[in-house]
Amino acid sequence: MALLCSVLCRSVAAQQMSRSDKIRIREAISISQKFGDKIWEGINNIPFAIILVTDSVEFMVNHPDPPPGFILCEKDTVLRADIFYRKRQYPVNWLATFPVNGTSCIVAGTPANTGRHSTAWIMTLLHEHFHQYEYSYPGYFRDVEALGLSNGDQTGMWMLNYPFPYDSIPVSEQYKKYTLALSDLIAGLDTKTFDPLFKRYRPERKKIRQLLKPADYRYLSFQVWQEGVARYTEYKFLELMGDYDPSKEIAALPGFISFSDYKDQLYRSEMKDLAGLELSEGKRVCFYSAGFAEAILLDKLNPAWRSLFLKDKFDIGRYSKKLR
């Protein structure tokens, strides 16, 4: 009898989310609740639904209607939510967001399996929560399909695999001219050199549009709009968190660095990629840093641009007359 009880106890323990993962998820949700609506009005009305993928089990939190196959494993006091589990189905290194049983859901591997320290992993959850915000807007998926880029693919994988001309020499050369001009412009954003730098940048941006086929430009603009602005959203959270005190439990986790230090790291990394990453090498990842920088530029050109984001989708160049 004692042996049976021991086996059952180990089984239950194996089906419970680790406390450190609960603490990280709680911190991301807390940051969103405190700062999210200052960046994107209404983002905290969207369920922060998560599937945490571990080596053998997946845990679901905050989903309003868990799909069949998920079993309640605990009523958790850390997250103040019910946690459900099932046998692992998704890759352990995924960081993605897509509909699960009608609700946009973050599907995330653990920090160890995704190669992220605690701070970066928390900010990635906020990045993905921004995607939940995008996807939950009425008509989003219909309007994405209307871009005419999927070529019949209903899985969404075209967003990753679209045949953009990354290896075209004319495209890569012009893209480099555009990103170098944008990099210099961001570096001079609050200086007397802004106007001449903008005059250099604007025609380089226009040349990219003129060089690309219409569908290819729609893809670039879509990726800048969706992924670049998501990366910018991480940075905006970090900007607002200047006086934010993380919980003692978060600060004590291995690999945690201050949000202030991570803000500086993120900015340097994106600006390095913007100026240095070759289109043929980075491919669609290049568009993250381009969108990051253009969104920062929009904060100067039109501080109200975020109010247009979901109403006029897929091309952030529409949010300022100076970019058209």
Side-chain angles (χ1 to χ4, degrees):
M1 184 67 178
L3 178 61
L4 177 61
C5 289
S6 177
V7 170
L8 289 173
C9 287
R10 286 198 299 270
S11 176
V12 170
Q15 294 162 1
Q16 290 187 340
M17 187 188 298
S18 74
R19 183 172 180 83
S20 58
D21 286 327
K22 293 176 184 179
I23 291 167
R24 293 184 190 98
I25 292 171
R26 182 184 65 186
E27 198 78 8
I29 294 171
S30 176
I31 291 168
S32 181
Q33 290 174 342
K34 187 168 185 177
F35 302 108
D37 283 304
K38 296 178 182 178
I39 309 171
W40 300 107
E41 184 178 357
I43 193 171
N44 287 317
N45 296 330
I46 308 303
F48 211 126
I50 299 173
I51 294 176
L52 178 71
V53 184
T54 69
D55 291 341
S56 59
V57 174
E58 294 173 354
F59 297 100
M60 175 174 274
V61 185
N62 293 331
H63 196 293
D65 185 21
F70 276 96
I71 302 168
L72 179 66
C73 62
E74 60 178 317
K75 294 181 177 293
D76 182 54
T77 57
V78 176
L79 291 170
R80 298 180 181 178
D82 292 344
I83 300 180
F84 298 80
Y85 79 97
R86 71 179 178 189
K87 185 178 179 180
R88 180 174 68 83
Q89 296 184 11
Y90 296 120
V92 297
N93 63 344
W94 266 20
L95 290 167
T97 298
F98 47 85
V100 174
N101 209 30
T103 296
S104 290
C105 193
I106 299 168
V107 178
T110 63
N113 286 337
T114 57
R116 282 166 163 76
H117 55 66
S118 290
T119 311
W121 195 81
I122 289 167
M123 298 314 299
T124 299
L125 289 191
L126 292 166
H127 176 120
E128 297 299 332
H129 187 47
F130 170 72
H131 286 325
Q132 292 176 309
Y133 175 70
E134 291 177 311
Y135 301 165
S136 297
Y137 193 76
Y140 167 86
F141 290 103
R142 176 199 64 216
D143 294 342
V144 168
E145 185 63 25
L147 287 171
L149 302 174
S150 67
N151 195 30
D153 175 17
Q154 298 299 310
T155 68
M157 291 302 293
W158 66 267
M159 295 184 189
L160 306 181
N161 301 327
Y162 178 85
F164 188 86
Y166 299 111
D167 295 322
S168 163
I169 292 176
V171 171
S172 62
E173 287 180 346
Q174 181 53 46
Y175 188 82
K176 174 61 71 174
K177 292 177 182 178
Y178 152 68
T179 54
L180 287 175
L182 178 55
S183 177
D184 290 344
L185 179 60
I186 297 302
L189 199 65
D190 297 316
T191 71
K192 294 180 180 179
T193 64
F194 176 81
D195 288 340
L197 288 170
F198 187 82
K199 289 179 181 178
R200 173 184 155 219
Y201 152 79
R202 188 179 182 187
E204 301 300 348
R205 189 184 197 279
K206 287 187 174 182
K207 288 176 186 176
I208 279 287
R209 182 167 193 163
Q210 294 165 352
L211 184 61
L212 291 171
K213 295 177 182 179
D216 294 340
Y217 183 75
R218 290 199 301 275
Y219 180 75
L220 185 156
S221 295
F222 171 73
Q223 289 292 340
V224 164
W225 180 90
Q226 179 148 295
E227 296 295 352
V229 176
R231 186 58 51 79
Y232 156 90
T233 297
E234 292 181 58
Y235 186 69
K236 292 304 288 185
F237 269 111
L238 292 163
E239 276 195 329
L240 290 173
M241 292 166 62
D243 297 327
Y244 178 76
D245 290 323
S247 69
K248 292 180 180 179
E249 289 175 298
I250 277 290
L253 288 179
F256 177 79
I257 66 171
S258 74
F259 290 107
S260 177
D261 285 347
Y262 186 66
K263 175 175 75 73
D264 296 338
Q265 289 183 17
L266 178 64
Y267 182 86
R268 288 195 301 268
S269 176
E270 293 304 317
M271 297 307 294
K272 180 180 178 181
D273 282 352
L274 179 66
L277 192 58
E278 298 294 333
L279 188 60
S280 60
E281 176 188 351
K283 301 188 184 304
R284 65 180 283 274
V285 173
C286 293
F287 304 147
Y288 286 55
S289 56
F292 170 84
E294 288 211 330
I296 289 174
L297 174 61
L298 279 169
D299 283 344
K300 182 178 181 71
L301 299 179
N302 177 16
W305 72 270
R306 292 194 298 271
S307 66
L308 304 171
F309 184 77
L310 292 176
K311 299 174 185 176
D312 192 1
K313 297 187 287 297
F314 308 144
D315 186 348
I316 68 175
R318 297 172 182 165
Y319 305 150
S320 170
K321 293 180 180 179
K322 292 183 178 181
L323 295 181
R324 295 173 189 170

